[in-house]
Amino acid sequence: MPDRAGGGPATRRGTRQGPRAAARDLLVAVDTTHAYANLTLPRLLADSGMSVRDRAFATELGYGSLRALGSIDHLLAPHLSRSLERLEPEVRAALRLGAYQLWRTRVPRHAAVGQSVALVHARARGFVNAVLRRVADDCDGPDPLRLQDVTDPLERLGLRYAHPRWIVEAYLEALGGDLAEAEVALAADDSRPVVHLAAVPGRMTVGELVVESAGRAGRLSPYAVHLDEGGDPGRLRSVRTGAARVQDEGSQLCALALHRALPAAGVARAQLDADLLMSDEPAPGPLIDLTAGPGGKAALRAALAAGRRDLVAVEVRPHRARLVARTGLRAVVVADGRRAPFRPGAAEAVLLDAPCTGVGALRRRPEARWRRQPADARDLVIAQRELVAAALELIRPGGLLAYVVCSPLLAEAVLAPPPGTEVLDAPALLGLGSDARAPDTGGRRLQLWPHRHGTDAMSAVILRKTGR
């Protein structure tokens, strides 16, 4: 039975294949080699010969199935005589894709079952057909996940909104124990994310990007544009040339908070206007991005002050450092941020986009929610605190540290002010209201949420160094 775009049941990368086969290959790669979906799927689609419509369908099936993986496995479990882990990877992937279509899409029952059966070898087709027909019967009923049999309310929320229980518990804690809001937050985090773009200051305006992309201006960042659902940023000339970037609006705000805090730190700036900040005015000391990653926040920060020659990006992994260099930054250093090769007190400000669990960006990292474990946060917190200590050594008295994580987990997001520092009011710097104020540090920590702000769940603390 052919797939939607004409590929046969045994198609592989390098041949013409349909969206379901591409989604199957994505699930197999993530399952067996711990591949990253955002890197793997574009390669599969590039080799597929599929139409734009079928590429979008493959993305929905692949990303959607990965995002809901734990709940899908719960849906399948009553109909299996052995565990999913004992099945062949391709059979496992076909069952998950079929169950996802039956549970969460409008694909007709006969197509969801029949096309999933076509993804496996002949010996497994009867088995896949039988299991998915029973799943289809469940999905025709009022309680496909059999939640009435789940006594733990947090586990029920996790299954309904496709999150592991430990993340449900962490969200509840971060939201002050408000179960009703935690449910709203989980539902928002389970939704398909809208693509956010940043119009790079000095390269193009938001208005120009809105016209080119047929999108709409963001609500919070003055550089943000949102694409409509299914919008492909790769088709935009501005993205290809670097005049615009794919960057979550929350990430933009965290870079902007440090930018707006600099005048408050005593930097010689007469006003906050972009034209002055983008002048060739001499700067008192370097700005350091201590854990640059792919460089999104550093690139925006550099564009906000394009005349400066002293923004230095530090990245420990050489291949990621090359990505940073491609953003146009002039100085990129390959080093561990905990042992960066700079003299103490050399920096005016440090941006520390700290390595974290990424629990705040689960909408955009579909496989991450089922890979991450509570122990990951404990291990990462040690590195985060070491990086904070190293960053403060680099900053001159009166200088700034922006501590940023893409996580609402209290262990990661809450940064107690180290001795010799004070916390600046990050939400006030951005003109945001009380819903962006985390209760610790007197509400001066910025905490964004998908359900409140439409962004990833970013957190930012801006520290001023008061002592030596």
Side-chain angles (χ1 to χ4, degrees):
M1 184 180 297
D3 204 343
R4 181 173 166 179
T11 52
R12 289 293 182 273
R13 226 187 316 179
T15 66
R16 264 186 95 79
Q17 63 174 343
R20 289 183 175 86
R24 174 205 57 201
D25 290 351
L26 171 65
L27 265 62
V28 169
V30 169
D31 188 13
T32 61
T33 68
H34 298 285
Y36 292 101
N38 67 320
L39 300 178
T40 303
L41 185 60
R43 290 197 294 266
L44 291 170
L45 296 182
D47 294 340
S48 68
M50 280 190 276
S51 67
V52 172
R53 181 186 177 198
D54 279 342
R55 286 170 182 251
F57 186 50
T59 302
E60 162 62 17
L61 292 183
Y63 281 12
S65 297
L66 290 171
R67 192 179 297 118
L69 200 64
S71 298
I72 289 171
D73 289 356
H74 179 84
L75 182 63
L76 286 165
H79 307 297
L80 298 172
S81 58
R82 47 185 165 163
S83 68
L84 273 167
E85 289 69 27
R86 295 180 59 191
L87 302 177
E88 297 170 88
E90 289 188 353
V91 174
R92 190 159 54 238
L95 287 171
R96 286 167 167 167
L97 284 169
Y100 175 75
Q101 291 170 78
L102 291 165
W103 178 40
R104 283 201 158 179
T105 76
R106 297 179 180 178
V107 174
R109 170 180 174 143
H110 67 88
V113 174
Q115 298 284 11
S116 299
V117 168
L119 294 174
V120 300
H121 56 75
R123 296 190 311 279
R125 289 179 187 170
F127 169 73
V128 170
N129 181 68
V131 171
L132 290 181
R133 285 184 179 278
R134 290 194 292 269
V135 170
D137 291 339
D138 281 354
C139 290
D140 286 340
D143 186 16
L145 293 170
R146 306 185 185 193
L147 295 179
Q148 62 182 4
D149 299 329
V150 179
T151 57
D152 181 351
L154 299 191
E155 185 180 354
R156 277 201 307 273
L157 281 181
L159 289 170
R160 179 176 289 120
Y161 299 110
H163 285 74
R165 188 192 185 282
W166 75 270
I167 293 180
V168 177
E169 189 172 6
Y171 268 45
L172 183 62
E173 181 183 25
L175 289 165
D178 188 331
L179 189 63
E181 186 175 8
E183 180 167 5
V184 175
L186 291 165
D189 201 47
D190 192 34
S191 63
R192 298 180 187 89
V194 172
V195 175
H196 292 182
L197 302 175
V200 176
R203 299 286 301 276
M204 77 181 310
T205 67
V206 164
E208 291 168 340
L209 185 53
V210 166
V211 170
E212 182 194 6
S213 66
R216 59 193 185 281
R219 183 165 59 93
L220 303 174
S221 166
Y223 310 103
V225 171
H226 298 182
L227 298 187
D228 291 331
E229 187 173 345
D232 178 12
R235 65 180 172 82
L236 302 176
R237 183 177 184 276
S238 58
V239 172
R240 295 195 299 270
T241 62
R245 299 177 52 82
V246 177
Q247 186 177 20
D248 182 79
E249 190 170 4
S251 175
Q252 298 174 41
L253 290 171
C254 290
L256 187 60
L258 174 60
H259 172 70
R260 289 183 174 173
L262 283 169
V267 180
R269 306 290 191 204
Q271 57 183 21
L272 204 61
D273 295 339
D275 58 346
L276 177 60
L277 287 168
M278 290 160 59
S279 72
D280 287 325
E281 182 183 6
L287 301 173
I288 300 174
D289 184 347
L290 203 56
T291 50
K297 295 180 184 67
L300 181 57
R301 179 64 192 88
L304 287 166
R308 302 184 67 116
R309 300 290 189 269
D310 57 356
L311 178 59
V312 180
V314 179
E315 170 53 43
V316 67
R317 286 167 285 189
H319 73 282
R320 287 169 72 88
R322 289 191 290 272
L323 292 176
V324 180
R326 290 175 192 165
T327 67
L329 295 181
R330 297 178 176 86
V332 182
V333 176
V334 180
D336 186 327
R338 291 169 291 190
R339 293 175 288 278
F342 309 120
R343 63 177 175 79
E348 168 193 346
V350 170
L351 171 61
L352 176 55
D353 189 6
C356 67
T357 58
V359 166
L362 295 179
R363 300 179 305 161
R364 304 187 191 279
R365 301 172 186 171
E367 74 281 357
R369 70 181 65 186
W370 306 106
R371 282 184 179 170
R372 284 297 188 190
Q373 300 296 325
D376 296 338
R378 292 193 291 269
D379 295 340
L380 285 163
V381 165
I382 295 171
Q384 290 159 6
R385 300 311 181 249
E386 290 174 348
L387 284 162
V388 167
L392 289 172
E393 282 291 313
L394 297 176
I395 298 169
R396 63 170 178 81
L400 299 176
L401 168 62
Y403 171 79
V404 179
V405 288
C406 189
S407 172
L409 303 188
L410 296 186
E412 298 186 290
V414 175
L415 177 65
T421 66
E422 63 175 332
V423 184
L424 302 188
D425 193 333
L429 289 166
L430 296 166
L432 300 180
S434 61
D435 69 342
R437 293 180 175 275
D440 53 283
T441 63
R444 288 167 288 175
R445 174 169 67 88
L446 172 71
Q447 181 61 65
L448 302 170
W449 289 95
H451 68 292
R452 294 181 182 177
H453 309 101
T455 68
D456 290 344
M458 305 288 300
S459 176
V461 178
I462 309 294
L463 295 176
R464 188 207 316 266
K465 186 174 179 178
T466 58
R468 294 187 177 276

